[in-house]
Amino acid sequence: MSGLPEDLKYAMTHEWARLEDDNVVRVGITDFAQEQLGDLVYIEMPELGRKVKAGEQCAVVESVKTASDLFSPVTGEIVAVNVALADEPEEVNSSPYQAWLFCVKADNPPELDLLMDADAYRLMIEQ
Amino acid sequence: MLKETPLYNLHLELGAKMVSFAGYQMPVQYSKGIIHEHLHCRNHAGFFDISHMGQCLISGDKAAGELERLTPGNITGLQPGEQKYTVLTNKDGGIIDDIIITRLTSGLMIIVNAACKDKDYAYLQSHLSEQCDFMELPDHALFALQGPAAARIIGKFSADAAELVFMHACATEIDGMPCNISRSGYTGEDGFEISVANEYAERLARCLLAEDEVEAIGLGARDTLRLEAGLCLYGHELNEAVTPVEAGLQWLFKKGHNEFPGADKILGQLQKGPNKIRAGLLVKSKIPVREGSVIVNNEDIIIGHVTSGSFSPSLGQPIAMALLDRNSADLGNTLYGIVRHRKIAATVTKLPFIRHRYHR
């Protein structure tokens, strides 16, 4: 688990989050998460325009073996989902930090500071 | 404390992700993942460590007759070297376990499910007379080699094994190591199961894995392979409350045999047809409909539940098996699995999903 991008924030529930322009937070799942899940076969995305709270369940990733909930790392509105993953969920397995799942326009970007940085997340998954 | 099979260290060396299964640490997948392993087995050959399964031997002149009174199957008719898939039934007609019985020269070898081992052994010992000798074989490992290349590979080591036909077994050797090999398996592919003393287990495994076309396959792909093959898994399609008729296993019954536990109920169902039956479902979307999901009909009436559901790597779409109300289970019917409060359409489909390729 060497390659944790340093510019991302990480949630306890294994989502990564990146703050971009205009308070938009891009969200995906970590390499650790995809490896634990195994081959992904379906991703249920949140609806565009949906209001979500930080920690609210808003997507589901399904591997061959299991279905696993995903949670929004911040409070805000879903402004984009990665529709390309509908046909290629396996992209999340091969490139977890490129294959983002959805974007939330954050009501309060400093909320991101409640998430872990790469060092803290590394510590968590190594335990 | 979880048990290990003799291949524990080899699994780790091969990059396995280990999980707890029926009291054992078992490989659920290796580094390339379930879909890769599944397709490799369908297209080439897969090696499976199934040493967690129970192996026991029942001997004595009366063994076959006594065993036959515990199962609807034909055990007395087994000739040396023949094997049968059958079930142990309880007095209510439910299934205690599904097992494979092989007639060897030394007696009847039985392979039971790992999770049922203790229950089965206690049951067999209490239901067999003193004229039968019961012996567990915990010092034996069990492997499966499955797939279209399996016969060619086994033939490099044992001509006798390569000549077997489906559901037959022989005592032979692989690279000097004595073993019992049967032409059987649980993937729907042609293949073999190999029982070998623990002391030879790792060497024999390495022998087979050294072949170009062979890759190690974990429990994850073992499950998707058997699901595509429409085969029952104990604890899912089969349990103490499901009869062999409901499970669609009437093909294993011995005609005229009515002296086994639960025979009244089971033979009654055979005559009148059961109220519920096991059926295949081809899901019409990409959303997997998994075990436990409720199945409803057009009118939103609950007509059954999913017993196994996953993604089919061969078909590239989700499939499932379900226990359904018989009247709703006609082939071609559209039914709905409930997933996260949504109705996911599925078509009742003939089993198996993938044609069996047994060498008969």
Side-chain angles (χ1 to χ4, degrees):
Chain A
M1 229 21 84
S2 50
L4 275 184
E6 296 291 331
D7 60 328
L8 302 179
K9 291 290 205 172
Y10 298 89
M12 297 275 285
T13 43
H14 307 289
E15 296 86 3
W16 57 258
R18 181 197 293 125
L19 181 61
E20 299 180 347
D21 294 346
D22 213 15
N23 292 347
V24 168
V25 175
R26 197 172 294 270
V27 181
I29 67 169
T30 65
D31 191 28
F32 177 80
Q34 71 76 20
E35 197 181 308
Q36 291 294 307
L37 288 163
D39 296 332
L40 294 188
V41 295
Y42 177 73
I43 301 173
E44 190 164 289
M45 297 291 189
E47 269 176 55
L48 279 178
R50 174 173 160 188
K51 307 273 193 205
V52 290
K53 291 207 156 53
E56 182 177 321
Q57 189 270 328
C58 68
V60 180
V61 283
E62 300 221 30
S63 65
V64 177
K65 288 292 285 178
T66 188
S68 186
D69 287 338
L70 293 188
F71 304 87
S72 177
V74 291
T75 301
E77 179 183 334
I78 304 290
V79 291
V81 297
N82 190 351
V83 288
L85 293 182
D87 290 325
E88 301 179 313
E90 65 274 14
E91 282 296 304
V92 176
N93 291 114
S94 48
S95 324
Y97 298 111
Q98 276 79 51
W100 58 281
L101 272 64
F102 55 88
C103 292
V104 192
K105 191 170 168 76
D107 292 352
N108 179 23
E111 240 178 7
L112 277 175
D113 296 336
L114 298 171
L115 301 179
M116 286 174 272
D117 61 15
D119 284 342
Y121 182 68
R122 187 178 297 116
L123 209 63
M124 185 184 99
I125 58 179
E126 277 170 4
Q127 277 170 0
Chain B
M1 181 68 187
L2 291 173
K3 287 179 266 192
E4 295 170 2
T5 75
L7 298 193
Y8 179 77
N9 289 318
L10 179 57
H11 293 313
L12 295 184
E13 187 184 314
L14 294 170
K17 188 192 292 178
M18 304 298 281
V19 296
S20 151
F21 182 81
Y24 284 80
Q25 294 202 60
M26 296 300 290
V28 65
Q29 64 164 80
Y30 300 85
S31 46
K32 290 181 185 167
I34 293 174
I35 293 176
H36 168 88
E37 290 171 24
H38 178 112
L39 297 174
H40 188 88
C41 181
R42 287 264 182 261
N43 295 321
H44 306 280
F47 171 88
F48 304 72
D49 178 17
I50 48 172
S51 303
H52 58 310
M53 299 186 82
Q55 301 180 72
C56 65
L57 186 73
I58 296 172
S59 49
D61 294 344
K62 302 229 163 134
E66 291 196 18
L67 256 179
E68 190 167 281
R69 280 194 289 279
L70 301 178
T71 146
N74 182 354
I75 311 308
T76 52
L78 278 177
Q79 299 302 310
E82 286 183 352
Q83 58 178 191
K84 275 254 166 18
Y85 174 77
T86 189
V87 290
L88 297 171
T89 48
N90 64 31
K91 60 179 170 32
D92 301 317
I95 298 170
I96 296 170
D97 198 6
D98 60 326
I99 61 177
I100 298 259
I101 301 180
T102 308
R103 177 128 185 224
L104 306 174
T105 43
S106 51
L108 293 157
M109 156 118 159
I110 307 185
I111 298 173
V112 308
N113 279 298
C116 297
K117 235 188 264 189
D118 294 345
K119 164 177 97 164
D120 290 357
Y121 291 169
Y123 177 82
L124 289 170
Q125 283 175 284
S126 67
H127 285 77
L128 295 173
S129 77
E130 286 169 1
Q131 288 168 288
C132 295
D133 278 327
F134 174 90
M135 188 168 63
E136 295 179 29
L137 302 170
D139 53 347
H140 277 65
L142 191 65
F143 305 140
L145 184 70
Q146 302 278 297
R152 190 161 64 244
I153 291 157
I154 219 81
K156 291 186 179 181
F157 298 98
S158 166
D160 289 346
E163 282 173 12
L164 292 168
V165 293
F166 186 58
M167 298 306 275
H168 284 72
C170 68
T172 181
E173 283 185 359
I174 286 186
D175 199 20
M177 295 174 275
C179 52
N180 271 302
I181 299 186
S182 65
R183 195 144 198 172
S184 60
Y186 223 57
T187 60
E189 295 298 324
D190 181 23
F192 303 84
E193 290 190 349
I194 304 160
S195 174
V196 63
N198 286 343
E199 56 182 307
Y200 299 123
E202 186 174 333
R203 185 153 76 85
L204 195 149
R206 286 184 190 276
C207 227
L208 296 174
L209 284 164
E211 294 293 318
D212 280 346
E213 284 191 273
V214 181
E215 285 189 18
I217 314 288
L219 291 182
R222 182 167 167 82
D223 192 45
T224 51
L225 287 159
R226 72 91 200 164
L227 176 57
E228 285 183 354
L231 300 172
C232 296
L233 182 60
Y234 198 82
H236 302 264
E237 284 69 39
L238 311 180
N239 60 55
E240 299 256 2
V242 172
T243 72
V245 182
E246 292 161 350
L249 298 178
Q250 49 270 37
W251 55 268
L252 63 76
F253 291 11
K254 177 182 181 179
K255 231 180 171 177
H257 179 24
N258 58 11
E259 280 182 85
F260 57 90
D264 284 355
K265 177 168 175 182
I266 289 170
L267 297 175
Q269 282 187 345
L270 199 56
Q271 218 164 38
K272 288 180 287 182
N275 293 328
K276 47 185 180 177
I277 57 166
R278 175 171 62 99
L281 294 173
L282 204 54
V283 179
K284 292 184 183 174
S285 81
K286 296 202 163 189
I287 304 175
V289 180
R290 298 183 190 273
E291 180 174 358
S293 289
V294 163
I295 302 291
V296 301
N297 63 11
N298 270 333
E299 291 150 18
D300 287 340
I301 295 166
I302 295 177
I303 47 133
H305 68 276
V306 172
T307 51
S308 292
S310 187
F311 175 82
S312 159
S314 302
L315 301 175
Q317 69 177 99
I319 56 171
M321 288 197 283
L323 197 59
L324 299 178
D325 183 294
R326 179 177 51 150
N327 300 319
S328 305
D330 291 342
L331 293 181
N333 269 8
T334 297
L335 302 172
Y336 302 89
I338 306 296
V339 179
R340 297 184 284 274
H341 310 294
R342 275 193 292 159
K343 286 166 72 175
I344 308 300
T347 309
V348 180
T349 304
K350 196 166 184 293
L351 293 171
F353 296 101
I354 296 289
R355 189 172 56 87
H356 292 162
R357 297 200 279 189
Y358 303 137
H359 181 73
R360 293 185 192 274

